[in-house]
Amino acid sequence: MGSARNNQEPSGCEAASRNATAPEPGFAPGIAPIDPAAFASAYQIDPRLPALVPGFDAPFYQAGLAGYSDAAMRIIARRQGCPLCVTEALLDRSLLDGGRGFAKADLGELDNNTPAGPEDHPLVGQIMGSSPDEMAAAAVKMVEQGRRTPKEYRLIRERGLASAPESAGEITAHERTFAAIDVNLACPVKKVSRKARGGHWLREPAGAVEILRAVRDAVPDDIPVTLKIRRGSDDTPEAESNFMRVFDAAYEVGIAWATVHGRTVEQKYVGPSNWGFLRDLVKRRPDRLIFGSGDIWNAEDIFRMLEYTGVHAVSVARGCIGNPWIFRQANNLMRGIAPKPPTIAEQREVLEHHFRLSQAVNGERKASLLMRKFGVRFSTHHPNSEDVKRRFIEVKGTDEWLAVLDEWYTTDSERAPEPAQA
Ligand SMILES: Cc1cc2nc3c(=O)[nH]c(=O)nc-3n(C[C@H](O)[C@H](O)[C@H](O)COP(=O)(O)O)c2cc1C
């Protein structure tokens, strides 16, 4: 176990989200008559999902969330029935920066330093960067668990995979690799040294396609390569045409699915996600496997988006920070069971587990800071949410954090626990 994320260079997606708007409904004219519970109980998952990623057996997953979605948050989500998780966007450069750079990346080091250990699987590793060669080498390093020497990965970056010694050796079942590699063309953080990365590639569609092709060519055929993309750089017709160019080319080079965030890069996280755009896209490209992102705030929203837009799966992002029960509720909706909020006892159990896992992943000091921000989000489920929130904001270390649990999470509420999922 290690402090995998200490000192990690932030990918910036988190900073760019600090201007996020409060929850508001998706941009979806005519959505009112939709009955998400009825739709959920009759819903049949597209068989391509579990065929591509064994275990991906429900139409939703936990998104990459820089600064939040580390192994601790992912495991907490999985314990509530989340079938698939994505790492936060990892910079190709950090991944390639020798052993330390690789170890620093958020790879979920809970199981003997093995990314995607048994409880954190299936896991999609997301990469972001400015150069096709670096992105391809970083993707190879991820799926190989970094088992070659740094020099060999430098060679792969400079001259391609063909130039490297034949094999990185067998990956044993214990060392499970990533279930898929996701290319981030969505993060709105500013350009670095005038080089595009993340969502800024949408202004340079030819470069974006080069990255997708390079990563797809480098990753073994049996590991899907996928795409996270925004609906455009802005609202101009040129931006939409760039989007379509990258989107269509992605499938031509062999991308398995694209998750489309219905906001523009310029919008960052402000204003509604345009579900109408997603609906039109699915109609225009009926054969493509398309996932949707944006404005999923509760379990019903997952099924509202599925029905309204026709996407094949939904990415749950801000709606699951401090709310892993969204996954249990979504699974229960599919079984015809109305969602119930977590009892105080259930909240305490999850808060304790999350805290212990975070300490194992991040080390004690960083876990205390991180859990303060999670505590604030968890507090929204408490009947005295404002008081609990204030207490979480004040905490300085482990003892104080645990004292908030003793102070506020001891009496059970009257609510009956929700039935466990099948
Ligand atoms: C704090 C934060 C960090 C994020 N980091 C990532 C990331 O690393 N990778 C990614 O694909 N998306 C990232 N996103 C975008 C989300 O995955 C999602 O697309 C976006 O928040 C829209 O969904 P929502 O409106 O339901 O939150 C981030 C969003 C936030 C708020």
Side-chain angles (χ1 to χ4, degrees):
M1 298 194 193
S3 53
R5 304 182 62 249
N6 287 348
N7 308 320
Q8 187 188 339
E9 184 190 347
S11 66
C13 300
E14 185 192 8
S17 78
R18 294 214 174 105
N19 57 1
T21 44
E24 57 179 302
F27 191 69
I31 198 171
I34 284 180
D35 175 354
F39 185 75
S41 60
Y43 190 79
Q44 299 285 324
I45 189 170
D46 190 299
R48 287 174 289 180
L49 272 57
L52 282 161
V53 175
F56 188 8
D57 54 9
F60 46 83
Y61 63 95
Q62 183 174 280
L65 285 159
Y68 291 94
S69 61
D70 60 4
M73 182 180 174
R74 298 194 299 259
I75 287 173
I76 288 300
R78 293 178 194 280
R79 289 180 185 171
Q80 298 294 330
C82 176
L84 180 79
C85 293
V86 184
T87 66
E88 65 180 81
L90 304 166
L91 287 176
D92 53 356
R93 217 19 97 74
S94 309
L95 284 162
L96 288 171
D97 262 353
R100 235 178 110 242
F102 187 65
K104 269 196 288 179
D106 168 28
L107 298 175
E109 295 182 81
L110 276 181
D111 181 50
N112 197 21
N113 283 348
T114 302
E119 232 204 311
D120 191 15
H121 200 80
L123 179 62
V124 176
Q126 190 182 75
I127 51 173
M128 175 166 84
S130 299
S131 128
D133 300 338
E134 273 181 4
M135 289 282 278
V140 169
K141 189 167 182 180
M142 281 179 95
V143 298
E144 291 180 353
Q145 311 282 15
R147 56 179 46 223
R148 298 173 193 261
T149 62
K151 195 172 157 203
E152 280 183 48
Y153 286 110
R154 267 200 300 279
L155 258 182
I156 292 175
R157 172 171 58 189
E158 281 153 26
R159 298 188 211 150
L161 194 54
S163 65
E166 246 187 25
S167 150
E170 277 297 294
I171 305 275
T172 66
H174 176 71
E175 291 172 314
R176 292 165 190 273
T177 186
F178 288 92
I181 296 293
D182 194 41
V183 176
N184 183 311
L185 299 183
C187 177
V189 75
K190 283 205 185 85
K191 288 184 179 193
V192 180
S193 319
R194 273 177 284 146
K195 282 187 176 170
R197 74 179 188 202
H200 295 277
W201 279 115
L202 286 173
R203 290 194 197 279
E204 298 175 44
V209 176
E210 233 185 284
I211 285 189
L212 291 168
R213 184 175 290 112
V215 174
R216 181 57 283 180
D217 285 354
V219 170
D221 291 346
D222 58 340
I223 298 183
V225 172
T226 62
L227 166 65
K228 171 73 184 291
I229 189 168
R230 287 191 178 233
R231 71 173 165 85
S233 46
D234 53 35
D235 277 309
T236 59
E238 188 197 350
E240 186 166 350
S241 126
N242 283 348
F243 168 87
M244 286 311 300
R245 189 167 154 202
V246 176
F247 179 85
D248 284 337
Y251 293 90
E252 276 154 30
V253 304
I255 292 299
W257 72 71
T259 300
V260 183
H261 180 181
R263 294 186 177 87
T264 63
V265 178
E266 194 180 75
Q267 240 184 304
K268 296 192 171 80
Y269 296 90
V270 181
S273 169
N274 190 336
W275 289 15
F277 180 91
L278 300 180
R279 184 164 66 166
D280 292 345
L281 184 65
V282 172
K283 279 199 193 117
R284 282 169 81 180
R285 298 291 185 267
D287 302 334
R288 305 295 194 206
L289 199 53
I290 304 173
F291 299 171
S293 167
D295 281 333
I296 301 300
W297 302 103
N298 56 47
E300 284 95 342
D301 285 343
I302 293 174
F303 297 98
R304 266 189 208 104
M305 180 186 263
L306 285 169
E307 181 167 8
Y308 185 78
T309 65
V311 295
H312 305 94
V314 169
S315 149
V316 185
R318 285 174 289 176
C320 66
I321 301 176
N323 182 25
W325 300 285
I326 194 172
F327 299 111
R328 177 181 72 180
Q329 292 162 345
N331 278 309
N332 277 341
L333 274 171
M334 292 181 76
R335 295 161 61 206
I337 299 169
K340 283 199 192 111
T343 63
I344 295 285
E346 287 169 335
Q347 292 178 44
R348 181 178 180 125
E349 190 186 3
V350 163
L351 278 158
E352 279 178 351
H353 284 168
H354 196 157
F355 192 72
R356 265 186 247 123
L357 286 165
S358 187
Q359 282 186 322
V361 174
N362 302 296
E364 177 149 352
R365 209 183 137 269
K366 189 156 184 218
S368 295
L369 292 173
L370 257 176
M371 289 309 293
R372 192 161 68 183
K373 85 183 171 175
F374 273 110
V376 168
R377 306 299 279 257
F378 274 108
S379 69
T380 59
H381 300 279
H382 197 284
N384 300 84
S385 59
E386 277 306 311
D387 296 325
V388 180
K389 178 177 162 188
R390 219 169 304 120
R391 289 286 287 115
F392 273 125
I393 289 171
E394 286 163 4
V395 299
K396 295 205 175 57
T398 302
D399 292 346
E400 284 184 29
W401 199 88
L402 293 171
V404 182
L405 298 196
D406 286 339
E407 195 181 328
W408 288 103
Y409 290 87
T410 46
T411 45
D412 200 353
S413 76
E414 297 302 302
R415 296 183 206 118
E418 195 166 359
Q421 49 150 339

